[in-house]
Each structure stands twice: as C-alpha cells, then as structure tokens.
C-alpha cells in the first residue's frame, strides 16, 4: 500500500470512529457538580494559619429568619420595585459625597472595575476584595508637571437590592515624595475625583450586561448596608448602616414609590406620614386628570419612624396611634419599603 493510500485509509477510519475515540475527552461536565460529596475540613496542624482554607463557595446567611406560622396565607403579589426600571448605572450625590450606582452585585462589578482601571492606564497596585478597595499606582498627567496622582476606588454593596456603589478618593503628592504620602479623609482635588468616577461609570456602562462574576470574592466590600431584621419576640424593622442624612434621603425616595404615598414628613422628629395606594391606583397617565377628595388625600395609614442607633438607623412602621401593626402586615410593608430604597 502506498503512503498516499495509507493516509486516506487512516483518515476514513478516524471519521467513522471519531465519536468513540474523542467522546470521553470532550464530554459534557456541566452536571458533574450534582455528584459532588461533602468533605471534611482539612485538619491544619496546631500553630499554622488556617484562614486561607475558607469555604470555596460560601453559602451566605439568610437575613430574613421569620418563622412561618402553621397557617400560611399566600400574599398578593407585590408591586414591581420601581428602581428596577431605572438606568443600570448613574452617578448619585449627597452633600459632598458622590458615587456611581450600578444595578449589579459587587461580585459582578469588582472584576469590571479592575479591568476598567487597567484599560484606562490606572492599574491597581493594591486590590483587597474583602474590604472592596483598589488603590492605583502613582500616575502623572500631562497638564500637571508638579504633582503625582493616585486613586482609591471602593466597591461596596449598595442600598438598593442587588446593587453596588463605586466611589473614588483622590490623593496627590509632590513628585519625588510619593512614598511619604498617606490617604486623606477627602479627595485632594474633587475635580480629579469626579473625572475618574465619570470615567469608570462610562466604562462600566458598556460592560454591565456581561455576566462575569468574581467567585473568589463573594463578600466584596463587607456586609450589606441594609437588612430587614426580624427578632424573635419583637417587632421587625429595617436596619440601615449609614448616617441619618443618607438614611433619611433613601427612605424619602422609597416612601413615594410602590405601595406608599407620602402625605407629610417631619425630619426633626424622623417621621414620614404615609398612606397606602389602593389596588386600582396605578399612578399612570390618567391619574392627573381627576381631582381627589381633600380629606382622602390627607389620610394617614402609617407612620414610618427613623431612629439613630449604634449600628446606624432603625426604620420602623407603626399605626397612626403609635401601636404596632400585625407582624405579617408590618413585615410585608417593610419589605416593600426596602425594595425601593436608593
């Protein structure tokens, strides 16, 4: 048999048996996780550090530990959270602070921010996922021959559900004295801060639909800023781990959306006077065509109370006379309020 005929025979043989020959090598392994078995944690010898041997896929704790009663009534569907229909990325400001709000989890945003910095000639020199902090190298700008600049970018859970807040801190130093610099409390140049924040927001706007997730940093930026707390034997409430000013602004935003309508508010006392929208009240295009009864428009169904505590701000819902609503109703309203916080 000639070499040419031998090559043709081998090719024909492979074409007929290819599936069997290569089947095991390229088989679908997407469901192999179902066969995985739980294994004991490695026994680290005494005196050695075991911190790095944490959970590979950490199971987060459930904040809502409400005990379901024996008789459970399926509630009617909640109104769609209005914040879910807003822009994916926008820059928000309060007082002298600004941040980019991204409608994605910190685990999704973290790798995108890192890539965005590198692509814009601001590569991170430090990246601490547990604290949600990236610090760039020192860089020089063509329009500044006197100073070197660096930026600290913080990625942390947002107030909104499944959202992330990205903030920027700017630091500058005389060229040659960079090593002696420490991070300031506020940006040395707010204009530089805003430039980088806007740059990150614009870059992320093109990447936010990408589903890349950092599985090795599932707790980026620390714990959530907002949680619904349901203590046993006590009334449920929302805990916002922020300043009173930021908490008030966030609750003010939410108290005008979803099922709520703000009738009045008293910031000094930390009270919102709200009423619930009727089931057929959609606030749509026709809502402004018809007037409403003055007495009905002033009706108050609940008070939303804000109180500063050691951990932040507690938000509770009470009846107009100060009594507590039924626990099931209070919990539903708190979750509605929490769903529209921003």
């Amino acid at each position: 048999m000639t070499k040419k005929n031998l090559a043709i025979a081998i090719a024909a043989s492979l074409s007929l048996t290819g599936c069997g020959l290569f089947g095991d090598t390229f088989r679908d392994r997407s469901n192999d996780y179902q066969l995985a078995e739980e294994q004991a944690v490695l026994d680290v010898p005494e005196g050695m550090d075991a911190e790095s041997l944490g959970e590979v896929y950490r199971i987060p704790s459930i904040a809502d530990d409400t005990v379901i009663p024996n008789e459970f009534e399926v509630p009617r569907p909640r109104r769609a959270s209005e914040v879910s229909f807003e822009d994916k990325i926008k820059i928000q400001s309060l007082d002298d602070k600004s941040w980019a709000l991204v409608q994605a989890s910190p685990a999704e945003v973290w790798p995108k921010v890192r890539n965005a910095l590198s692509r814009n000639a601001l590569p991170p020199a430090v990246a601490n996922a547990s604290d949600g902090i990236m610090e760039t190298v020192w860089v020089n700008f063509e329009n500044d021959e006197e100073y070197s600049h660096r930026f600290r970018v913080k990625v942390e859970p947002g107030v909104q559900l499944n959202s992330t807040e990205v903030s920027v801190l700017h630091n500058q130093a005389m060229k040659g004295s960079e090593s002696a610099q420490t991070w300031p409390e506020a940006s040395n140049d707010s204009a530089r801060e805003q430039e980088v924040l806007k740059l990150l927001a614009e870059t992320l706007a093109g990447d936010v639909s990408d589903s890349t997730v950092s599985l090795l940093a599932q707790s980026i930026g620390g714990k959530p800023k907002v949680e619904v707390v349901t203590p046993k034997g006590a009334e449920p409430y929302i805990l916002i781990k922020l300043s009173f000013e930021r908490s008030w602004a966030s609750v003010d935003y939410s108290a005008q959306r979803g099922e709520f309508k703000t009738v009045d508010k008293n910031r000094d006392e930390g009270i919102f006077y709200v009423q619930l929208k009727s089931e057929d009240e959609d606030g749509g295009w026709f809502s402004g065509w018809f007037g409403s009864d003055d007495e009905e428009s002033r009706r108050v169904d609940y008070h939303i109370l804000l109180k500063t505590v050691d951990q932040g701000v507690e938000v509770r819902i009470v009846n107009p006379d100060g009594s507590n609503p039924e626990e099931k109703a209070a919990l539903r309203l708190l979750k509605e309020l929490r769903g529209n916080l921003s």
Side-chain angles (χ1 to χ4, degrees):
M1 182 180 291
T2 65
K3 291 183 178 180
K4 179 178 181 181
N5 292 334
L6 179 60
I8 294 175
I10 293 175
S13 176
L14 291 178
S15 66
L16 291 174
T17 61
C19 292
L21 180 62
F22 298 106
D24 290 339
T25 305
F26 298 99
R27 69 180 180 83
D28 182 6
R29 291 185 170 84
S30 60
N31 293 319
D32 282 7
Y33 72 94
Q34 298 178 9
L35 305 176
E37 297 180 358
E38 185 175 356
Q39 299 180 0
V41 179
L42 290 177
D43 186 13
V44 179
E46 186 176 354
M48 299 189 70
D49 183 16
E51 184 177 353
S52 60
L53 300 177
E55 296 288 345
V56 177
Y57 296 103
R58 183 180 62 86
I59 301 176
S61 59
I62 300 175
D64 186 0
D65 57 354
T66 306
V67 178
I68 300 177
N70 294 331
E71 295 183 2
F72 179 73
E73 178 183 352
V74 179
R76 66 184 180 87
R78 292 174 53 202
R79 296 174 186 265
S81 175
E82 296 190 16
V83 298
S84 63
F85 300 105
E86 295 183 348
D87 295 334
K88 290 292 184 181
I89 299 179
K90 61 181 178 180
I91 294 179
Q92 295 184 321
S93 299
L94 181 66
D95 296 333
D96 58 345
K97 297 182 179 180
S98 298
W99 62 92
L101 174 63
V102 186
Q103 296 293 337
S105 68
E108 295 177 75
V109 175
W110 176 264
K112 302 180 194 304
V113 169
R114 188 165 188 164
N115 291 338
L117 290 172
S118 298
R119 283 155 48 187
N120 289 284
L122 292 169
V126 175
N128 186 332
S130 61
D131 293 332
I133 291 177
M134 297 183 200
E135 297 177 0
T136 72
V137 299
W138 287 97
V139 296
N140 297 318
F141 296 112
E142 293 181 355
N143 61 353
D144 188 351
E145 299 180 356
E146 184 177 0
Y147 290 98
S148 295
H149 305 264
R150 63 176 176 171
F151 300 88
R152 171 182 282 178
V153 180
K154 186 169 182 60
V155 178
E156 56 188 334
V159 173
Q160 291 184 10
L161 288 169
N162 195 39
S163 68
T164 303
E165 294 177 5
V166 180
S167 57
V168 175
L169 179 66
H170 168 260
N171 182 209
Q172 68 182 25
M174 296 287 293
K175 291 183 178 180
S177 64
E178 292 88 349
S179 60
Q181 288 297 308
T182 57
W183 288 99
E185 291 293 326
S187 291
N188 294 140
D189 189 335
S190 59
R192 297 282 188 189
E193 171 197 320
Q194 290 298 316
E195 287 176 5
V196 172
L197 183 61
K198 184 177 180 181
L199 178 67
L200 286 175
E202 292 176 347
T203 305
L204 289 172
D207 295 341
V208 73
S209 59
D210 193 346
S211 58
T212 302
V213 177
S214 174
L215 295 177
L216 299 180
Q218 299 181 60
S219 58
I220 292 174
K223 297 181 179 180
K225 295 178 180 177
V226 183
E227 60 180 305
V228 178
V229 182
T230 55
K232 294 183 179 180
E235 300 303 318
Y237 62 91
I238 296 175
L239 176 61
I240 304 180
K241 302 172 186 177
L242 295 168
S243 65
F244 183 87
E245 290 72 18
R246 175 76 191 277
S247 300
W248 176 268
S250 186
V251 173
D252 190 9
Y253 178 90
S254 182
Q256 303 176 53
R257 287 158 176 78
E259 291 192 21
F260 297 102
K261 181 189 296 183
T262 300
V263 178
D264 200 358
K265 52 190 173 183
N266 185 329
R267 190 181 182 284
D268 292 337
E269 298 293 332
I271 302 176
F272 287 91
Y273 304 88
V274 299
Q275 62 178 241
L276 300 184
K277 297 177 182 177
S278 59
E279 294 188 20
D280 58 348
E281 184 180 1
D282 56 13
W285 190 55
F286 292 99
S287 60
W289 282 26
F290 307 100
S292 58
D293 181 77
D294 288 341
E295 184 176 350
E296 176 65 18
S297 65
R298 294 193 300 269
R299 186 191 80 246
V300 174
D301 296 322
Y302 294 100
H303 293 176
I304 300 176
L305 309 180
L306 277 70
K307 178 183 178 182
T308 301
V309 295
D310 291 340
Q311 293 179 286
V313 176
E314 287 184 358
V315 181
R316 299 178 183 270
I317 293 182
V318 301
N319 294 317
D321 61 2
S323 62
N324 294 312
E326 181 184 2
E327 182 179 1
K328 183 168 62 176
L331 192 57
R332 181 181 67 82
L333 294 173
L334 285 171
K335 290 182 176 180
E336 174 72 20
L337 185 69
R338 193 267 174 272
N340 286 305
L341 290 176
S342 176

